[in-house]
Amino acid sequence: MQCLRCQGLLSAVQMRDLGQPPVLGWRCLLCGAMTDPGIEANKASHNLPAQSRARLPGALPARLKKTVCGKQ
Ligand SMILES: [Zn+2]
């Protein structure tokens, strides 16, 4: 298995958290990134595409749009 950050080799590790049962996860031997099925599930549920805030060429700045186009 390869690390998603650096393509390094992943090693199986047992991850522990206080008061929680141990979980089998993966640790990258090159960059040290750690992951487990819970972390991957959280990433998948929060990876929404970022909305670009870039202004399109020719578009009015937001402060002028309000005065020119009126309030919508
Ligand atoms: Zn890595």
Side-chain angles (χ1 to χ4, degrees):
M1 217 169 146
Q2 285 188 323
C3 174
L4 294 177
R5 292 172 63 188
C6 72
Q7 310 305 316
L9 182 63
L10 292 178
S11 165
V13 292
Q14 195 174 41
M15 302 167 75
R16 294 177 168 267
D17 199 2
L18 286 177
Q20 300 293 322
V23 176
L24 187 63
W26 299 93
R27 182 176 186 275
C28 177
L29 298 177
L30 291 180
C31 74
M34 296 184 79
T35 188
D36 67 26
I39 292 172
E40 293 303 316
N42 283 336
K43 282 182 185 175
S45 68
H46 290 100
N47 268 352
L48 300 174
Q51 183 177 6
S52 173
R53 297 186 63 194
R55 190 164 30 120
L56 296 174
L60 292 172
R63 67 177 192 279
L64 293 179
K65 190 187 256 184
K66 201 181 288 182
T67 58
V68 173
C69 300
K71 196 173 185 180
Q72 293 179 359

